[in-house]
């Protein structure tokens, strides 16, 4: 029955009267660009800000990690809130308030003030990634979801690739205070745009009946299924039964993998500009241009991972092979980040960084495992748990690197990043194991 529905959906695809799901994907894409722009602006401002308000490398590491402290702690409450309010309202509230706090960062004068504001941004950004996953689960059928997740995940890299040189230029032109003001105002405006345009499929005024039928026949979550599951059992609550569902072997494996993947990302998001300017002595504006190359590489990795994974899944390959191949390959490629320890040539440094970040991009498709492995009624909560484990790396990695580079040498920091990437690859190989699951997302 499921197969016949999917076959009908595939045949109907070329004749659809609307393609609103792609508009929704574009909205999510912009959301993530703004989200990561507001995470990375502090790393661009940090070299000059540290001098202005007097921050040691250990304090800088604490500032970089402060976002993750409360971001990780709020993943479970954020997932519960998301399942109650939905992506539209949750995202609007989050985006508006973290953007206001971004503006306030332009007024800091000491370590404590900056630390408090970074905690505030982490608080309001907590539901973001689960909200993205929920929206895609509602708007995309099974055999398009991997590509959709790959596209929206790529926004963090593509957005940073093009925005980083611009942010460096803004900083150079109007200082770190102006940088926070500009990025914050952009987010405030976009929160209004999101609220006005986004709706779930059955509440959208623009979607055609044939597109709605197509995505639902293809396995997208429907409002009826949501209500049915909600009435049948407690939804997104931390009951003992739900806790056991969230900590089966395969989910634990992807939690470990997400920590490893996020660890590499948080190096690039926090310490990378300082690495280029302070450790490799590349001038400020040149660092802005060079730092965009690894982000573009990661973007290419994400797009390739989603496309290849979906193509393999549509063919005769198992879901286990199709979904895990890009992740494991990407984590192993990340080990090449250590190559930068053996050269002072800027071209070779960027080459090693780009290969490592390309691998990180390949591995970032892991959100597809949340949809594939988590019970439907717990997608928001499972997504929160998954993102919580990734967020732990945003706490651990910046602080550890802050201590490792206290003597000005980044070599041990790159070895540390490679080590946790290897742990992630081993987790997907031996702990997650084979995941040949039916596409109904049921455990």
């Amino acid at each position: 029955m499921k197969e016949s529905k999917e076959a009908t959906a595939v045949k109907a695809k070329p004749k659809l009267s609307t393609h609103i799901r792609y508009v929704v994907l574009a909205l999510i894409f912009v959301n993530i660009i703004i989200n990561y722009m507001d995470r990375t602006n502090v790393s661009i401002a940090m070299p000059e800000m540290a001098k202005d308000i007097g921050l040691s490398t250990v304090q800088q590491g604490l500032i970089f990690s402060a976002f993750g402290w409360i971001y990780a702690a709020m993943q479970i409450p954020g997932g519960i809130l998301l399942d109650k309010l939905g992506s539209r309202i949750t995202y609007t509230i989050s985006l508006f308030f973290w953007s206001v706090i971004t503006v306030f960062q332009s007024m800091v004068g000491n370590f404590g003030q900056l630390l408090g504001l970074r905690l505030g941004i982490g608080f309001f950004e907590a539901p973001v990634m689960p909200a993205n996953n929920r929206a895609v689960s509602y708007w995309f059928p099974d055999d398009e979801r991997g590509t959709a997740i790959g596209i929206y995940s790529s926004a963090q890299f593509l957005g940073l690739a093009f925005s980083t040189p611009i942010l460096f230029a803004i900083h150079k032109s109007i200082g770190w205070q102006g940088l926070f003001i500009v990025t914050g105002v952009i987010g405030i405006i976009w929160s209004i745009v999101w609220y006005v345009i986004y709706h779930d499929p059955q509440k959208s005024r623009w979607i055609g009946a044939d597109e709605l039928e197509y995505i639902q026949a293809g396995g997208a979550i429907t409002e009826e299924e949501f209500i049915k599951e909600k009435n049948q059992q407690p939804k997104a609550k931390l009951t003992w039964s739900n806790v056991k569902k969230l900590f089966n072997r395969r989910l634990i494996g992807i939690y470990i993998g997400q920590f490893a993947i996020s660890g590499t990302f948080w190096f690039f998001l926090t310490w990378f500009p300082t690495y280029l300017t302070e450790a490799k002595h590349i001038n400020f504006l040149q660092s802005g241009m060079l730092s965009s190359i690894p982000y573009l590489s990661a973007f290419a990795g994400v797009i390739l991972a989603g496309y290849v994974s979906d193509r393999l899944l549509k063919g005769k390959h198992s879901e286990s092979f199709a979904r895990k191949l890009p992740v494991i390959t990407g984590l192993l490629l990340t080990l090449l980040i250590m190559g930068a320890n053996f050269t002072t040539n800027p071209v070779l440094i960027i080459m090693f960084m780009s290969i490592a970040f390309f691998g990180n991009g390949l591995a970032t498709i892991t959100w597809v495992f949340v949809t594939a492995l988590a019970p439907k009624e717990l997608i928001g909560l499972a997504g929160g748990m998954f993102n919580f484990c990734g967020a732990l790396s945003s706490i651990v990695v910046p602080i550890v690197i802050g201590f490792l580079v206290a003597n000005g040498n980044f070599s041990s920091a790159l070895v540390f990043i490679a080590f946790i990437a290897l742990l992630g690859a081993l987790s997907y190989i031996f702990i997650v194991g084979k995941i040949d699951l039916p596409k109904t997302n049921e455990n």
Side-chain angles (χ1 to χ4, degrees):
M1 184 67 178
K2 179 70 175 177
E3 291 179 358
S4 64
K5 284 185 177 181
E6 289 175 350
T8 301
V10 172
K11 291 179 182 178
K13 183 177 179 181
K15 301 178 182 179
L16 297 181
S17 61
T18 61
H19 298 279
I20 302 302
R21 64 192 185 282
Y22 299 133
V23 175
V24 169
L25 187 58
L27 292 174
I28 295 172
F29 193 91
V30 175
N31 285 350
I32 296 178
I33 289 176
I34 294 173
N35 179 269
Y36 281 91
M37 180 175 66
D38 289 337
R39 294 189 195 189
T40 197
N41 52 17
V42 70
S43 68
I44 294 171
M46 186 57 74
E48 183 178 336
M49 183 190 299
K51 296 175 183 177
D52 287 349
I53 65 177
L55 300 176
S56 68
T57 60
V58 173
Q59 287 178 318
Q60 291 174 52
L62 290 170
I63 292 296
F64 287 145
S65 72
F67 168 92
W69 302 352
I70 198 164
Y71 181 82
M74 288 301 297
Q75 286 305 302
I76 303 304
I80 295 173
L81 181 67
L82 172 62
D83 283 336
K84 291 182 179 295
L85 299 182
S87 295
R88 179 172 180 249
I89 301 300
T90 302
Y91 228 129
T92 301
I93 294 171
S94 297
L95 180 52
F96 178 81
F97 282 104
W98 94 57
S99 299
V100 170
I101 295 173
T102 296
V103 174
F104 286 161
Q105 285 180 115
S106 66
M107 309 171 191
V108 299
N110 57 56
F111 170 75
Q113 292 173 356
L114 183 56
L115 183 70
L117 291 176
R118 293 303 296 175
L119 289 171
I121 290 179
F123 179 89
F124 284 107
E125 286 198 11
V128 166
M129 294 307 291
N132 294 330
N133 194 55
R134 183 186 187 276
V136 168
S137 296
Y138 270 62
W139 274 96
F140 284 85
D142 285 332
D143 63 0
E144 293 183 9
R145 198 170 297 147
T147 299
I149 292 173
I151 290 173
Y152 84 62
S153 297
S154 73
Q156 58 194 312
F157 303 114
L158 185 63
L160 289 172
F162 287 100
S163 67
T164 297
I166 296 173
L167 296 179
F168 268 90
I170 292 173
H171 178 282
K172 186 70 174 179
S173 177
I174 58 178
W176 58 267
Q177 295 92 339
L179 175 64
F180 288 127
I181 292 172
V182 171
T183 52
V185 169
I186 290 173
I188 292 171
I189 295 172
W190 186 255
S191 69
I192 299 171
V193 174
W194 170 263
Y195 178 79
V196 171
I197 297 178
Y198 179 82
H199 294 275
D200 287 341
Q202 290 181 309
K203 297 178 182 179
S204 174
R205 72 185 77 173
W206 295 294
I207 190 172
D210 53 351
E211 185 180 12
L212 182 61
E213 181 182 359
Y214 166 69
I215 64 176
Q216 290 179 354
I221 295 175
T222 66
E223 195 68 18
E224 288 82 1
E225 288 176 327
F226 181 89
I227 294 173
K228 181 180 178 181
E229 294 286 357
K230 185 175 182 179
N231 292 335
Q232 285 180 343
Q233 56 183 308
K235 186 176 192 317
K237 293 182 180 179
L238 284 176
T239 63
W240 177 244
S241 175
N242 285 344
V243 168
K244 289 192 293 184
K245 292 179 182 178
L246 293 176
F247 285 95
N248 63 55
R249 178 178 59 83
R250 291 177 301 199
L251 286 175
I252 290 173
I254 69 171
Y255 297 158
I256 295 172
Q258 188 65 5
F259 177 89
I261 293 164
S262 297
T264 301
F265 180 73
W266 278 97
F267 163 75
F268 281 94
L269 202 65
T270 57
W271 282 104
F272 187 47
T274 301
Y275 169 74
L276 293 179
T277 57
E278 302 295 328
K280 296 301 181 180
H281 307 294
I282 301 172
N283 73 63
F284 191 75
L285 288 180
Q286 187 183 10
S287 293
M289 297 302 296
L290 291 177
S291 63
S292 67
I293 299 174
Y295 290 127
L296 286 173
S297 299
F299 167 74
V302 172
I303 294 298
L304 182 62
Y307 174 78
V308 169
S309 181
D310 278 350
R311 291 292 297 176
L312 291 172
L313 189 60
K314 289 177 182 179
K316 297 181 179 180
H317 296 283
S318 68
E319 182 170 4
S320 182
F321 181 81
R323 298 311 193 193
K324 287 174 60 181
L325 180 64
V327 176
I328 296 171
T329 302
L331 284 164
L332 294 177
L333 283 175
T334 302
L335 301 181
L336 294 178
I337 196 171
M338 291 187 295
N341 284 339
F342 303 100
T343 181
T344 57
N345 186 321
V347 174
L348 293 178
I349 291 168
I350 295 301
M351 181 191 73
F352 284 117
M353 291 289 167
S354 297
I355 294 172
F357 218 15
F358 172 80
N360 191 252
L362 278 177
T364 306
I365 197 176
T366 45
W367 270 99
V368 76
F369 291 100
V370 177
T371 302
L373 297 176
K376 284 182 180 179
E377 75 277 10
L378 296 175
I379 282 182
L381 191 54
M385 180 63 70
F386 180 77
N387 213 35
F388 169 80
C389 293
L392 286 178
S393 68
S394 71
I395 300 173
V396 174
V397 170
I399 291 178
V400 171
I401 292 178
F403 281 98
L404 291 176
V405 305
N407 62 357
N409 190 334
F410 269 80
S411 297
S412 57
L414 300 189
V415 172
F416 171 65
I417 295 299
F419 174 73
I420 60 176
L422 179 60
L423 287 181
L426 294 175
S427 177
Y428 270 96
I429 294 170
F430 297 109
I431 300 178
V432 177
K434 193 174 183 180
I435 55 166
D436 289 325
L437 299 177
K439 295 183 181 180
T440 55
N441 294 335
E442 296 175 359
N443 277 357

Coordinates of all heavy atoms in Angstrom, one line a residue, residues 250-315:
R250 N 20.9 2.7 18.5 CA 21.1 3.4 17.3 C 21.0 4.9 17.5 O 21.8 5.7 17.0 CB 20.1 3.0 16.2 CG 20.4 1.6 15.7 CD 19.3 1.1 14.7 NE 18.0 1.2 15.3 CZ 17.0 0.5 14.8 NH1 17.1 -0.3 13.7 NH2 15.8 0.6 15.3
L251 N 20.1 5.4 18.4 CA 20.0 6.8 18.7 C 21.2 7.3 19.4 O 21.8 8.4 19.2 CB 18.7 7.1 19.4 CG 17.4 7.1 18.6 CD1 16.2 7.3 19.5 CD2 17.5 8.1 17.5
I252 N 21.7 6.5 20.4 CA 22.9 6.8 21.1 C 24.1 7.0 20.1 O 24.9 7.9 20.3 CB 23.3 5.8 22.2 CG1 22.2 5.8 23.3 CG2 24.7 6.0 22.7 CD1 22.4 4.7 24.3
G253 N 24.2 6.1 19.2 CA 25.2 6.2 18.2 C 25.2 7.5 17.4 O 26.3 8.1 17.2
I254 N 24.0 7.9 17.0 CA 24.0 9.2 16.2 C 24.2 10.4 17.1 O 24.7 11.4 16.7 CB 22.7 9.3 15.4 CG1 21.4 9.5 16.3 CG2 22.5 8.2 14.5 CD1 20.2 9.9 15.6
Y255 N 23.9 10.3 18.4 CA 24.2 11.3 19.4 C 25.7 11.5 19.5 O 26.2 12.7 19.4 CB 23.6 11.0 20.8 CG 22.1 10.9 20.9 CD1 21.5 10.2 21.9 CD2 21.3 11.5 19.9 CE1 20.1 10.1 22.0 CE2 19.9 11.3 20.0 CZ 19.3 10.6 21.1 OH 18.0 10.5 21.2
I256 N 26.4 10.4 19.6 CA 27.9 10.5 19.7 C 28.4 11.1 18.4 O 29.3 12.0 18.4 CB 28.5 9.1 19.9 CG1 28.1 8.6 21.3 CG2 30.0 9.2 19.8 CD1 28.5 7.2 21.6
G257 N 27.9 10.6 17.3 CA 28.3 11.1 16.0 C 28.1 12.6 15.8 O 28.9 13.4 15.3
Q258 N 27.0 13.1 16.3 CA 26.6 14.5 16.2 C 27.6 15.4 17.0 O 27.9 16.5 16.6 CB 25.2 14.8 16.6 CG 24.7 16.2 16.4 CD 24.6 16.5 14.9 OE1 24.9 15.7 14.0 NE2 24.3 17.8 14.6
F259 N 28.0 14.9 18.2 CA 29.0 15.6 19.0 C 30.3 15.8 18.2 O 30.9 16.8 18.2 CB 29.3 14.8 20.3 CG 30.3 15.5 21.1 CD1 30.0 16.5 22.1 CD2 31.7 15.1 21.0 CE1 31.0 17.1 22.8 CE2 32.7 15.8 21.8 CZ 32.3 16.7 22.7
A260 N 30.7 14.7 17.5 CA 32.0 14.7 16.8 C 31.9 15.6 15.6 O 32.8 16.4 15.3 CB 32.3 13.3 16.3
I261 N 30.8 15.6 14.9 CA 30.6 16.4 13.7 C 30.5 17.9 14.1 O 31.2 18.8 13.5 CB 29.3 16.0 12.9 CG1 29.5 14.6 12.3 CG2 29.0 17.0 11.8 CD1 28.2 14.0 11.9
S262 N 29.8 18.2 15.1 CA 29.7 19.6 15.6 C 31.0 20.1 16.1 O 31.2 21.3 16.1 CB 28.6 19.6 16.7 OG 27.3 19.3 16.1
G263 N 31.8 19.2 16.7 CA 33.1 19.7 17.2 C 33.9 20.3 16.2 O 34.5 21.4 16.4
T264 N 34.0 19.8 15.0 CA 34.8 20.4 13.9 C 34.2 21.7 13.5 O 34.8 22.7 13.3 CB 34.8 19.4 12.7 OG1 35.4 18.2 13.0 CG2 35.6 20.1 11.5
F265 N 32.8 21.7 13.4 CA 32.1 22.9 13.0 C 32.4 24.1 13.9 O 32.6 25.2 13.5 CB 30.6 22.6 12.9 CG 29.8 23.8 12.5 CD1 29.9 24.3 11.2 CD2 29.1 24.5 13.4 CE1 29.2 25.4 10.8 CE2 28.3 25.6 13.0 CZ 28.4 26.1 11.7
W266 N 32.4 23.7 15.2 CA 32.6 24.8 16.2 C 34.0 25.3 16.3 O 34.2 26.5 16.7 CB 32.1 24.3 17.6 CG 30.6 24.5 17.7 CD1 29.7 23.5 17.5 CD2 29.9 25.7 18.0 NE1 28.4 24.1 17.6 CE2 28.5 25.4 17.9 CE3 30.3 27.0 18.2 CZ2 27.6 26.4 18.1 CZ3 29.3 28.0 18.5 CH2 28.0 27.6 18.4
F267 N 35.0 24.5 15.8 CA 36.3 25.1 15.7 C 36.3 26.2 14.6 O 36.8 27.3 14.8 CB 37.3 24.0 15.3 CG 38.6 24.6 14.7 CD1 39.5 25.2 15.5 CD2 38.8 24.6 13.3 CE1 40.7 25.7 15.0 CE2 40.0 25.1 12.8 CZ 41.0 25.7 13.7
F268 N 35.7 25.9 13.5 CA 35.6 26.9 12.4 C 34.7 28.1 12.8 O 35.0 29.2 12.3 CB 35.1 26.2 11.1 CG 36.1 25.4 10.4 CD1 36.2 24.1 10.6 CD2 37.0 26.0 9.5 CE1 37.2 23.3 9.9 CE2 37.9 25.3 8.8 CZ 38.0 23.9 9.0
L269 N 33.7 27.8 13.5 CA 32.8 28.9 13.9 C 33.3 29.9 14.9 O 32.9 31.0 15.0 CB 31.5 28.3 14.4 CG 30.2 29.2 14.3 CD1 29.9 29.5 12.8 CD2 29.0 28.5 15.0
T270 N 34.3 29.4 15.7 CA 34.8 30.2 16.8 C 36.3 30.6 16.7 O 36.6 31.8 16.5 CB 34.6 29.5 18.2 OG1 35.3 28.2 18.1 CG2 33.1 29.3 18.5
W271 N 37.2 29.6 16.6 CA 38.6 29.9 16.7 C 39.3 30.1 15.3 O 40.4 30.5 15.3 CB 39.3 28.8 17.5 CG 39.2 28.9 18.9 CD1 38.4 28.1 19.7 CD2 39.8 29.8 19.8 NE1 38.5 28.5 21.1 CE2 39.4 29.5 21.1 CE3 40.8 30.8 19.6 CZ2 39.9 30.2 22.2 CZ3 41.2 31.5 20.7 CH2 40.8 31.2 22.0
F272 N 38.6 29.7 14.3 CA 39.2 29.8 13.0 C 39.8 31.1 12.6 O 40.9 31.2 12.1 CB 38.3 29.2 11.9 CG 38.9 29.1 10.5 CD1 40.1 28.4 10.4 CD2 38.2 29.5 9.4 CE1 40.7 28.3 9.1 CE2 38.8 29.4 8.1 CZ 40.0 28.8 8.0
P273 N 39.0 32.2 12.7 CA 39.6 33.6 12.4 C 40.8 33.9 13.2 O 41.8 34.4 12.7 CB 38.4 34.5 12.7 CG 37.2 33.7 12.5 CD 37.5 32.3 13.0
T274 N 40.8 33.6 14.5 CA 41.9 33.8 15.3 C 43.1 32.9 14.9 O 44.3 33.4 14.9 CB 41.6 33.5 16.8 OG1 40.5 34.4 17.2 CG2 42.7 33.8 17.7
Y275 N 42.8 31.7 14.5 CA 43.9 30.8 14.0 C 44.6 31.4 12.9 O 45.8 31.4 12.8 CB 43.2 29.5 13.7 CG 44.1 28.5 12.9 CD1 45.2 27.8 13.6 CD2 44.0 28.3 11.5 CE1 46.0 27.0 12.9 CE2 44.8 27.4 10.8 CZ 45.8 26.8 11.5 OH 46.6 25.9 10.8
L276 N 43.8 32.0 11.9 CA 44.4 32.5 10.7 C 45.2 33.8 11.0 O 46.4 34.0 10.5 CB 43.4 32.8 9.7 CG 42.7 31.6 9.0 CD1 41.6 32.1 8.0 CD2 43.6 30.7 8.4
T277 N 44.7 34.7 11.9 CA 45.3 36.0 12.1 C 46.4 35.9 13.1 O 47.5 36.5 13.0 CB 44.3 37.0 12.6 OG1 43.6 36.5 13.7 CG2 43.3 37.3 11.5
E278 N 46.2 35.1 14.2 CA 47.2 35.1 15.3 C 48.2 34.0 15.1 O 49.4 34.2 15.4 CB 46.5 34.9 16.6 CG 45.4 36.0 16.9 CD 46.1 37.4 17.1 OE1 47.2 37.4 17.6 OE2 45.4 38.4 16.7
A279 N 47.8 32.8 14.8 CA 48.7 31.6 14.7 C 49.5 31.6 13.3 O 50.6 31.3 13.3 CB 48.0 30.3 14.9
K280 N 48.8 31.9 12.2 CA 49.4 31.9 10.9 C 49.7 33.2 10.4 O 50.2 33.4 9.3 CB 48.5 31.1 10.0 CG 48.2 29.6 10.3 CD 49.5 28.9 10.4 CE 49.3 27.4 10.7 NZ 50.6 26.6 10.8
H281 N 49.4 34.3 11.1 CA 49.9 35.7 10.8 C 49.4 36.1 9.4 O 50.1 36.8 8.7 CB 51.4 35.8 10.9 CG 51.9 35.3 12.3 ND1 51.6 35.9 13.4 CD2 52.7 34.2 12.6 CE1 52.2 35.3 14.4 NE2 52.8 34.2 13.9
I282 N 48.2 35.8 9.1 CA 47.5 36.3 7.8 C 46.8 37.5 8.2 O 46.0 37.6 9.2 CB 46.6 35.2 7.2 CG1 47.4 33.9 7.0 CG2 45.9 35.7 6.0 CD1 46.6 32.7 6.6
N283 N 46.9 38.6 7.4 CA 46.3 39.8 7.7 C 44.8 39.8 7.7 O 44.2 38.9 7.1 CB 46.7 41.0 6.8 CG 46.1 40.9 5.4 OD1 44.9 41.0 5.2 ND2 47.0 40.7 4.4
F284 N 44.1 40.7 8.4 CA 42.7 40.6 8.8 C 41.8 40.5 7.6 O 41.0 39.6 7.5 CB 42.3 41.9 9.6 CG 41.0 41.8 10.2 CD1 40.8 41.0 11.4 CD2 39.9 42.5 9.7 CE1 39.6 41.0 12.0 CE2 38.7 42.4 10.3 CZ 38.5 41.7 11.5
L285 N 41.9 41.4 6.6 CA 41.0 41.3 5.4 C 41.3 40.0 4.6 O 40.4 39.4 4.0 CB 41.1 42.6 4.6 CG 40.5 43.8 5.2 CD1 40.7 45.0 4.3 CD2 39.0 43.6 5.5
Q286 N 42.6 39.7 4.5 CA 42.9 38.5 3.7 C 42.3 37.2 4.4 O 41.9 36.3 3.8 CB 44.4 38.3 3.6 CG 44.8 37.1 2.7 CD 46.3 37.0 2.6 OE1 47.1 37.6 3.3 NE2 46.8 36.1 1.6
S287 N 42.3 37.3 5.8 CA 41.7 36.2 6.5 C 40.2 36.0 6.2 O 39.7 34.9 6.1 CB 41.9 36.4 8.0 OG 43.2 36.3 8.4
G288 N 39.6 37.2 6.0 CA 38.1 37.1 5.7 C 37.9 36.5 4.3 O 36.9 35.7 4.2
M289 N 38.8 36.7 3.4 CA 38.6 36.1 2.0 C 39.0 34.6 2.1 O 38.3 33.8 1.6 CB 39.5 36.9 1.0 CG 39.1 38.3 0.8 SD 37.4 38.5 0.3 CE 37.5 37.7 -1.3
L290 N 40.1 34.3 2.7 CA 40.5 32.9 2.8 C 39.6 32.0 3.6 O 39.4 30.9 3.2 CB 41.9 32.8 3.4 CG 43.1 33.4 2.5 CD1 44.4 33.3 3.3 CD2 43.2 32.7 1.2
S291 N 39.0 32.6 4.6 CA 38.1 31.8 5.5 C 36.9 31.4 4.7 O 36.2 30.4 5.2 CB 37.8 32.5 6.8 OG 37.0 33.7 6.5
S292 N 36.5 32.0 3.7 CA 35.3 31.7 2.9 C 35.5 30.4 2.1 O 34.5 29.7 1.8 CB 34.9 32.8 2.0 OG 35.8 33.0 0.9
I293 N 36.8 30.0 1.8 CA 37.0 28.9 1.0 C 36.6 27.6 1.7 O 35.9 26.7 1.1 CB 38.5 28.8 0.5 CG1 38.8 30.1 -0.4 CG2 38.8 27.6 -0.3 CD1 40.2 30.2 -0.8
P294 N 37.0 27.3 2.9 CA 36.6 26.1 3.6 C 35.0 26.1 3.7 O 34.4 25.0 3.7 CB 37.2 26.2 5.0 CG 38.5 27.0 4.7 CD 38.0 28.0 3.7
Y295 N 34.4 27.2 3.9 CA 32.9 27.2 4.0 C 32.3 26.8 2.7 O 31.3 26.0 2.7 CB 32.4 28.6 4.4 CG 32.7 29.0 5.9 CD1 33.4 30.2 6.1 CD2 32.4 28.2 6.9 CE1 33.7 30.6 7.5 CE2 32.7 28.5 8.2 CZ 33.3 29.7 8.5 OH 33.6 30.1 9.8
L296 N 32.9 27.3 1.6 CA 32.3 26.8 0.3 C 32.6 25.3 0.1 O 31.7 24.6 -0.5 CB 33.0 27.6 -0.8 CG 32.6 29.1 -1.0 CD1 33.5 29.8 -2.0 CD2 31.1 29.1 -1.4
S297 N 33.7 24.8 0.6 CA 34.0 23.4 0.5 C 32.9 22.6 1.3 O 32.5 21.6 0.8 CB 35.4 23.1 1.0 OG 36.3 23.8 0.2
A298 N 32.7 23.1 2.5 CA 31.7 22.4 3.3 C 30.3 22.4 2.7 O 29.5 21.5 2.7 CB 31.6 23.1 4.7
F299 N 30.0 23.6 2.0 CA 28.7 23.7 1.3 C 28.6 22.6 0.2 O 27.6 21.9 0.1 CB 28.6 25.1 0.7 CG 27.5 25.2 -0.3 CD1 26.1 25.3 0.1 CD2 27.8 25.3 -1.6 CE1 25.1 25.4 -0.8 CE2 26.7 25.4 -2.6 CZ 25.4 25.5 -2.2
A300 N 29.7 22.5 -0.6 CA 29.7 21.5 -1.6 C 29.5 20.1 -1.0 O 28.8 19.2 -1.6 CB 31.0 21.6 -2.4
G301 N 30.1 19.8 0.1 CA 30.0 18.6 0.7 C 28.6 18.2 1.2 O 28.1 17.1 1.0
V302 N 27.9 19.2 1.7 CA 26.5 19.0 2.2 C 25.6 18.7 1.0 O 24.8 17.8 1.0 CB 26.0 20.2 3.0 CG1 24.5 20.1 3.2 CG2 26.7 20.4 4.3
I303 N 25.7 19.5 -0.1 CA 24.9 19.3 -1.3 C 25.1 18.0 -1.9 O 24.2 17.2 -2.2 CB 25.1 20.4 -2.3 CG1 24.7 21.8 -1.7 CG2 24.4 20.1 -3.6 CD1 23.2 21.9 -1.5
L304 N 26.4 17.6 -2.0 CA 26.7 16.3 -2.6 C 26.2 15.2 -1.7 O 25.6 14.2 -2.2 CB 28.2 16.2 -2.7 CG 28.8 14.9 -3.3 CD1 28.2 14.8 -4.8 CD2 30.3 14.8 -3.3
A305 N 26.3 15.3 -0.4 CA 25.8 14.3 0.5 C 24.3 14.0 0.4 O 23.9 12.9 0.3 CB 26.2 14.6 2.0
G306 N 23.5 15.1 0.4 CA 22.1 14.9 0.2 C 21.7 14.3 -1.1 O 20.8 13.4 -1.1
Y307 N 22.3 14.8 -2.1 CA 22.0 14.3 -3.5 C 22.4 12.8 -3.6 O 21.5 12.0 -4.1 CB 22.7 15.1 -4.5 CG 22.5 14.6 -5.9 CD1 21.3 14.8 -6.6 CD2 23.5 13.8 -6.6 CE1 21.1 14.3 -7.9 CE2 23.4 13.3 -7.9 CZ 22.2 13.6 -8.5 OH 22.0 13.1 -9.8
V308 N 23.6 12.5 -3.2 CA 24.1 11.1 -3.4 C 23.2 10.2 -2.5 O 22.9 9.1 -2.9 CB 25.6 11.0 -3.0 CG1 26.0 9.5 -2.9 CG2 26.4 11.7 -4.1
S309 N 23.0 10.6 -1.3 CA 22.2 9.7 -0.4 C 20.8 9.4 -0.9 O 20.4 8.3 -0.9 CB 22.1 10.4 1.0 OG 21.4 9.6 1.9
D310 N 20.1 10.4 -1.4 CA 18.8 10.2 -2.0 C 18.8 9.3 -3.2 O 18.0 8.5 -3.4 CB 18.1 11.5 -2.3 CG 17.4 12.1 -1.0 OD1 17.4 11.4 0.0 OD2 17.0 13.3 -1.1
R311 N 19.9 9.6 -4.1 CA 20.0 8.7 -5.3 C 20.2 7.3 -4.9 O 19.7 6.4 -5.6 CB 21.1 9.3 -6.1 CG 20.9 10.6 -6.8 CD 19.8 10.6 -7.8 NE 20.1 9.7 -8.9 CZ 19.3 9.5 -10.0 NH1 18.1 10.0 -10.0 NH2 19.7 8.7 -10.9
L312 N 21.1 7.1 -3.9 CA 21.3 5.7 -3.5 C 20.1 5.0 -2.9 O 19.8 3.9 -3.2 CB 22.5 5.6 -2.5 CG 23.9 6.0 -3.0 CD1 24.8 6.1 -1.8 CD2 24.4 4.9 -4.0
L313 N 19.3 5.8 -2.2 CA 18.1 5.3 -1.6 C 17.0 5.0 -2.6 O 16.3 4.0 -2.5 CB 17.5 6.3 -0.6 CG 16.4 5.9 0.3 CD1 16.8 4.7 1.2 CD2 15.9 7.0 1.2
K314 N 17.0 5.8 -3.7 CA 16.0 5.5 -4.7 C 16.4 4.3 -5.6 O 15.5 3.7 -6.2 CB 15.8 6.7 -5.6 CG 15.1 7.9 -5.0 CD 15.1 9.1 -5.9 CE 14.4 10.3 -5.2 NZ 14.4 11.5 -6.1
G315 N 17.7 4.0 -5.5 CA 18.2 2.8 -6.3 C 18.0 1.5 -5.5 O 17.0 1.4 -4.7

